[in-house]
Amino acid sequence: MSLLAKYSPRFWGVSLTFVFSLLYLLFQGGKLAFMVFIIVSVLCLYLALSRWSGIAKTQGERMLLNSNQESVLEAGSTLAVQIQVQIPGFWPIPFVSIKDRLVRRGAEEQTFESFLIPDWKRRGEISYRTPPLRRGFYTFGQTECSTEDIFGLFESKGRMTMPYSFGVLPRKVHIREWKQLHQLFRGMHHHSASTRSHRETTQINGVREYIYGDRLSRIHWNATAKTGTWKSKEFERESLPKTIILLDRNMKHYKNKEHFELAVSIAASLLDYGARKDLALGLISVGKDSSYFEPKLSTSHHKIIGNHLIDVEPDGSYSMIEILKNRARQFTPGIFFTVISPIYGDQLLQALAWIDQREMNPCHMWVSMDQPETALEAWRKQMQVKGFIGYPVASLEDLTQGLGVRG
């Protein structure tokens, strides 16, 4: 029974055909029996040798036609993929089926199947385009290639391993200017936003070309010796007062995936604005895992926060006030505190009041997707009565328009 189960019914069908043709030749004889036996033998030999078609040792190369060198795309983008294959051996192959697997972290998988006919050098290529990709980290799994004999009776398979990983960033919009933020900072105990932002700290941020007039203490001697040209130390510029973004990840606060994606896109857009305007930005993100990024002014720091936003999910259960109290010792007076959350009402006002009592400046980015006009009016009235800054954001376009005027 185990021997029967080991082989497919098609194998046994072909084997019986060969046995019957052999018996027909032995017991019947004649030209007809001999001709039938020769034809069946040739076909059986072809089917047997097709198992060594070389498909199991296929080699391939994957190319991404529209991906940048940093292996990062933005949500909603599609990916054009091209796979070139080389099949060793000489046995004729009618066609090859290629199945490529794209796996998103979190067990989501997409399969793309294409067919090719190898040329006389047993080479070929396929191309396909993915549907719009969601935010997250992606990895290409093993690529399966298979072929069949000309009768479609037996299938031979092989696998190619061409590992490649990339990230899909959240969507973001270009914010030209956050007027109210700069007005607030100019009203604080600083000379001006522009003057303050260009003062330098003692923290070295890199190396730049020597500028005539640089002090001797500013010259980077190691870099100068290595390159043979004068190099100077690049110091971090002192930014506007520190800004912290609190991303609400409580799963109960969001209606669906798109609702949370809007919140993440708001955070990514603010991060992009902070990087362009030299803001020392930090992030609080509490869900199944708790992440706190202290406000800093550096390109690498912004990139770390951006990578965190690629994989963040609405998997939290803590209330806003619990998160704030747990991190209270890390906050200092004067911080501009931006809360990105879809909630409003007493729960939110309690959190904003807690921030205000500790001499920080609260701001609410209300993720107001699909909210009725009555809820919008109630939220505006609450924010005006308490004197808090707030912006309703029902779409990313609202973010670019809203930050240019008073919320």
Side-chain angles (χ1 to χ4, degrees), residues 38-308:
I38 292 298
I39 293 174
V40 172
S41 298
V42 170
L43 292 178
C44 289
L45 180 63
Y46 164 76
L47 294 175
L49 292 178
S50 65
R51 295 175 58 88
W52 289 273
S53 61
I55 197 71
K57 297 181 180 180
T58 302
Q59 298 175 340
E61 181 183 4
R62 181 190 294 108
M63 293 184 292
L64 307 183
L65 304 182
N66 63 334
S67 177
N68 57 30
Q69 294 180 350
E70 296 182 355
S71 303
V72 174
L73 300 171
E74 189 171 300
S77 302
T78 61
L79 194 63
V81 182
Q82 184 182 81
I83 298 178
Q84 298 178 343
V85 298
Q86 172 72 56
I87 307 165
F90 60 89
W91 199 251
I93 296 177
F95 69 91
V96 178
S97 169
I98 305 291
K99 290 183 180 179
D100 205 17
R101 294 168 52 242
L102 182 60
V103 182
R104 181 178 181 270
R105 187 182 296 177
E108 295 182 22
E109 181 178 317
Q110 301 180 63
T111 301
F112 305 93
E113 183 175 11
S114 299
F115 296 88
L116 65 87
I117 298 176
D119 59 17
W120 64 276
K121 292 184 178 181
R122 298 172 69 84
R123 296 180 305 189
E125 67 178 38
I126 63 163
S127 299
Y128 66 87
R129 182 175 289 273
T130 68
L133 298 174
R134 290 177 52 207
R135 174 183 57 85
F137 285 106
Y138 290 82
T139 302
F140 282 101
Q142 283 192 324
T143 302
E144 182 181 295
C145 48
S146 61
T147 186
E148 295 178 349
D149 57 78
I150 58 176
F151 304 106
L153 294 176
F154 299 104
E155 182 181 45
S156 301
K157 293 184 177 182
R159 293 182 182 273
M160 297 181 291
T161 302
M162 300 175 286
Y164 187 83
S165 300
F166 62 94
V168 177
L169 292 166
R171 285 188 60 220
K172 57 179 181 284
V173 291
H174 180 82
I175 301 172
R176 294 187 60 185
E177 186 180 6
W178 191 346
K179 291 183 178 180
Q180 195 167 2
L181 174 67
H182 291 274
Q183 289 172 2
L184 175 68
F185 287 151
R186 281 197 292 269
M188 299 172 68
H189 304 294
H190 298 271
H191 300 297
S192 71
S194 58
T195 302
R196 183 70 170 177
S197 65
H198 287 83
R199 290 170 57 185
E200 292 179 339
T201 67
T202 57
Q203 182 68 37
I204 297 177
N205 191 36
V207 179
R208 63 167 174 78
E209 295 295 327
Y210 172 81
I211 299 175
Y212 180 77
D214 281 347
R215 295 191 303 271
L216 195 63
S217 61
R218 185 160 192 149
I219 295 176
H220 198 296
W221 296 106
N222 288 340
T224 300
K226 289 180 180 178
T227 60
T229 58
W230 290 100
K231 299 291 183 180
S232 295
K233 300 173 185 175
E234 181 74 44
F235 294 95
E236 286 189 356
R237 287 182 291 174
E238 190 171 298
S239 71
L240 295 169
K242 295 178 179 179
T243 304
I244 291 181
I245 299 172
L246 172 57
L247 177 62
D248 185 2
R249 290 171 56 185
N250 193 314
M251 65 181 72
K252 296 179 181 179
H253 296 166
Y254 294 93
K255 300 176 181 178
N256 47 45
K257 290 182 178 179
E258 288 71 24
H259 199 191
F260 180 70
E261 288 302 315
L262 177 57
V264 178
S265 293
I266 294 172
S269 300
L270 296 180
L271 180 66
D272 178 68
Y273 177 79
R276 288 186 287 106
K277 298 294 183 179
D278 294 325
L279 297 177
L281 276 178
L283 177 72
I284 300 175
S285 173
V286 178
K288 284 184 178 179
D289 58 329
S290 178
S291 299
Y292 173 66
F293 302 92
E294 184 181 352
K296 291 182 181 179
L297 178 60
S298 71
T299 303
S300 59
H301 178 68
H302 289 154
K303 189 173 183 179
I304 291 172
I305 298 178
N307 287 337
H308 172 77

Side-chain angles (χ1 to χ4, degrees), residues 244 246 320 337-341 348 352 355 363-366:
I244 291 181
L246 172 57
M320 200 79 66
F337 217 109
T338 303
V339 178
I340 302 175
S341 175
L348 173 73
L352 298 181
I355 295 171
C363 172
H364 182 211
M365 292 286 177
W366 185 33

